[in-house]
């Protein structure tokens, strides 16, 4: 028996879906423990692209138990469409399990997300407007509606009525928006409830039974370390804890079940939305543009162009400490194959003085200057490499330096989107 937590070590979009899909070959269960439908994963199998928003990446293997844990917020319409799309593509969805303790995203959450972002103006967070933040707000305020409530029509109707009245007051009186009709929403969601019912269970118990049977479990993080509500670049973060420590809480198991943590890091850095980005390349037609277009760096869910920059290995060191990373999974190394020079940030300075930690204050972080090391590019296609020895010397130097600065051994190197375009230096499952 073994378990592995796969987390994003940067701002998301690192290619976690590909790494989870690859590791899922040896897993018996794949568990999503945080986030909502704002967290898209793209997995390519036999050159066919699958875009996942809520279902764990392990869904593309038959016979794997795929769990949406209590830490996830569920938009029923999104997850049911995803289930239908997978079924239509011939994917086995019989072993999908949804936690009865997970919270439900409702239409008023999405509208409030949009209205709140608009009201912030230039100070906007840059959300996907999927209602994720407002749903987590209700969860913490103890006014949220859970899947178990949705399964009980009388309970759901009573809670929904109270919430619709409260949300309509906010929407109309504060934001000047249009109110929701309670009966319409009730009918829509009770229909969702019947479709979801076969998948609902106490996922903590399901996982406990899987561990008792000595099976392998893979925990799939959504978003990433620097979007963590506690440890990221607050307030430009998500509304949950995508870091490794939440894998237990967000799935309903004890922390003793977590064996290894793999940090997924893109060979460069990207971020979507607002907030600080120390190594961002703002040149209109320079290296940042080249990386974006070569790597097709546009959001899976929103289609928004991602902000691009050189790899920030100093922030990766922070991720390593925070998540207790055992191994790195470096992705998209192939995208840098047409760069004649590559830079890596290995430290920060403020007013010429080196600092040892990443500041919590965004005002202070805004004054930071990156300390770069420069590397010669390898200027060739590495997508057919299947072992570390086959990589060009300059590519080896680059990834080895990432490991040195972060203090984390190399575990996996991805050289393309397909499953077979993967170099494994250490087996973790």
């Amino acid at each position: 028996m073994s378990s592995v937590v796969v987390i994003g070590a940067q701002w998301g979009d690192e290619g976690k879906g590909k790494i989870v899909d690859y590791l899922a070959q040896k897993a018996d269960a794949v568990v999503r423990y945080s986030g909502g439908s704002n967290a898209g994963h793209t997995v390519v199998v036999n050159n066919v692209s699958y875009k996942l928003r809520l279902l764990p990446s392990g869904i593309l293997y038959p016979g794997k138990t795929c769990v949406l844990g209590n830490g996830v917020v569920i938009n029923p319409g999104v997850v049911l469409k995803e289930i239908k799309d997978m079924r239509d593509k011939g994917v086995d969805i019989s072993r999908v399990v949804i936690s009865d303790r997970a919270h439900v995203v409702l239409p008023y959450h999405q509208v409030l997300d949009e209205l709140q972002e608009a009201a912030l103006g230039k100070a906007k967070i840059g959300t996907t407007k999927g209602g994720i933040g407002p749903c987590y707000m209700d969860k913490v305020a103890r006014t949220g509606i859970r899947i178990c409530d949705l399964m009980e029509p009388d309970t759901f109707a009573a809670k929904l009525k109270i919430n619709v009245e409260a949300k309509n007051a906010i929407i109309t009186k504060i934001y000047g928006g249009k109110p929701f009709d309670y009966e319409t929403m009730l009918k829509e969601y009770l229909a969702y409830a019947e479709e979801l019912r076969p998948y609902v269970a106490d996922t903590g118990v399901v996982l406990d039974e899987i561990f008792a049977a000595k099976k392998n479990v893979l925990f799939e993080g959504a978003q990433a370390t620097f979007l963590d509500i506690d440890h990221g670049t607050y307030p430009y973060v998500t509304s949950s804890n995508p870091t490794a420590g939440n894998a237990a809480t967000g799935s309903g198991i004890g922390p003793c079940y977590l064996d290894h943590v793999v940090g997924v890091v893109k060979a460069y850095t990207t971020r979507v939305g607002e907030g600080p980005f120390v190594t961002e390349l703002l040149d209109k037609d320079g290296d940042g543009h080249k990386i974006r277009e070569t790597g097709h760096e546009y959001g899976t869910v929103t289609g928004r162009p991602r902000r691009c920059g050189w790899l920030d290995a100093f922030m990766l060191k922070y991720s390593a400490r925070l998540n207790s990373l055992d191994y790195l999974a470096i992705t998209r190394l192939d995208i840098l194959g047409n760069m004649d020079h590559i830079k890596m940030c290995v430290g920060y300075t403020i007013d010429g003085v080196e600092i040892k930690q990443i500041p919590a204050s965004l005002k202070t972080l805004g004054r930071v200057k990156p300390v770069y090391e420069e590397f010669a590019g390898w200027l060739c296609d590495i997508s057919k490499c299947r072992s570390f020895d086959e990589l060009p010397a300059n590519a080896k130097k680059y990834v080895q330096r990432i490991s040195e600065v972060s203090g984390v051994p190399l575990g996996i190197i991805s050289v393309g989107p397909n499953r077979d375009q993967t170099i494994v230096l250490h087996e973790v499952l």
Side-chain angles (χ1 to χ4, degrees), residues 11 13 125-126 227 270-274 299 302 304-307:
W11 275 298
D13 307 310
I125 305 300
L227 294 176
T270 64
R271 108 167 274 181
V272 171
E274 308 302 317
T302 64
R304 288 183 293 181
R306 295 175 183 141
R307 300 157 64 189

Side-chain angles (χ1 to χ4, degrees), residues 2-13:
S2 182
S3 69
V4 175
V5 184
V6 176
I7 61 98
Q10 297 158 300
W11 275 298
D13 307 310

Side-chain angles (χ1 to χ4, degrees), residues 3-44:
S3 69
V4 175
V5 184
V6 176
I7 61 98
Q10 297 158 300
W11 275 298
D13 307 310
E14 299 96 345
K16 295 181 295 298
K18 188 259 172 87
I19 300 302
V20 171
D21 172 73
Y22 182 83
L23 293 174
Q25 297 174 82
K26 295 184 178 180
D28 299 290
V30 183
V31 186
R32 171 88 178 270
Y33 62 84
S34 70
S37 56
N38 57 335
H41 287 161
T42 300
V43 179
V44 179

Side-chain angles (χ1 to χ4, degrees), residues 130-424:
I132 309 307
C135 184
Y136 277 113
M137 287 169 65
D138 281 1
K139 177 177 180 177
V140 174
R142 294 167 293 183
T143 59
I145 294 175
R146 299 186 295 170
I147 292 290
C148 60
D149 301 320
L150 188 60
M151 296 298 104
E152 300 173 356
D154 292 345
T155 302
F156 176 66
K159 289 192 173 188
L160 183 67
K161 190 170 186 62
I162 293 169
N163 279 7
V164 168
E165 288 176 0
K167 303 305 181 188
N168 276 346
I170 296 171
I171 289 167
T172 59
K173 294 177 182 178
I174 296 178
Y175 295 109
K178 295 180 180 179
F180 281 98
D181 180 69
Y182 162 73
E183 293 294 342
T184 300
M185 197 181 303
L186 177 65
K187 182 180 179 180
E188 178 187 2
Y189 273 70
L190 287 178
Y192 286 150
E194 294 313 305
E195 288 189 73
L196 285 173
R197 195 176 298 280
Y199 304 105
V200 175
D202 185 332
T203 55
V205 172
V206 171
L207 288 171
D208 192 60
E209 292 172 351
I210 289 171
F211 277 115
K214 307 296 183 185
K215 294 183 177 180
N216 293 333
V217 180
L218 189 59
F219 293 89
E220 173 182 310
Q223 288 96 24
T225 299
F226 282 83
L227 294 176
D228 187 277
I229 188 70
D230 288 301
H231 303 287
T233 49
Y234 186 92
Y236 301 104
V237 291
T238 192
S239 299
S240 61
N241 295 105
T243 39
N246 192 41
T249 306
S251 55
I253 59 152
C256 65
Y257 283 123
L258 306 179
D259 296 324
H260 305 290
V261 183
V262 174
V264 185
V265 53
K266 201 177 275 185
Y268 44 94
T269 309
T270 64
R271 108 167 274 181
V272 171
E274 308 302 317
F277 186 168
V278 174
T279 64
E280 184 173 12
L281 293 165
L282 298 171
D283 46 340
K284 184 178 179 182
D285 297 310
D287 292 328
H289 174 78
K290 192 173 184 180
I291 289 170
R292 182 183 301 110
E293 295 310 309
T294 304
H296 307 291
E297 291 293 351
Y298 295 87
T300 300
V301 174
T302 64
R304 288 183 293 181
R306 295 175 183 141
R307 300 157 64 189
C308 297
W310 298 120
L311 176 67
D312 190 335
F314 190 73
M315 65 182 279
L316 180 56
K317 190 173 182 179
Y318 175 95
S319 290
R321 175 189 63 79
L322 184 62
N323 293 293
S324 299
L325 296 185
D326 293 301
Y327 299 100
L328 295 179
I330 297 176
T331 61
R332 315 222 83 194
L333 187 64
D334 52 302
I335 302 303
L336 299 180
N338 63 350
M339 309 293 288
D340 56 11
H341 73 285
I342 300 164
K343 291 183 180 180
M344 181 193 303
C345 173
V346 297
Y348 290 177
T349 62
I350 295 178
D351 298 330
V353 179
E354 186 178 354
I355 61 173
K356 300 296 183 183
Q357 291 90 25
I358 293 179
S361 163
L362 296 198
K363 183 178 180 180
T364 304
L365 188 57
R367 295 171 52 214
V368 159
K369 301 296 181 187
V371 177
Y372 283 121
E373 290 181 1
E374 187 162 335
F375 300 78
W378 42 95
L379 295 174
C380 65
D381 179 11
I382 61 170
S383 63
K384 292 182 172 59
C385 295
R386 296 295 179 269
S387 71
F388 188 77
D389 288 342
E390 291 178 55
L391 289 173
N394 287 346
K396 290 179 188 176
K397 289 177 185 176
Y398 183 65
V399 295
Q400 286 170 331
R401 185 58 178 151
I402 297 173
S403 176
E404 289 170 5
V405 176
S406 65
V408 184
L410 299 172
I412 294 172
I413 299 171
S414 173
V415 293
N418 279 294
R419 283 175 181 166
D420 66 335
Q421 293 175 303
T422 308
I423 297 170
V424 178

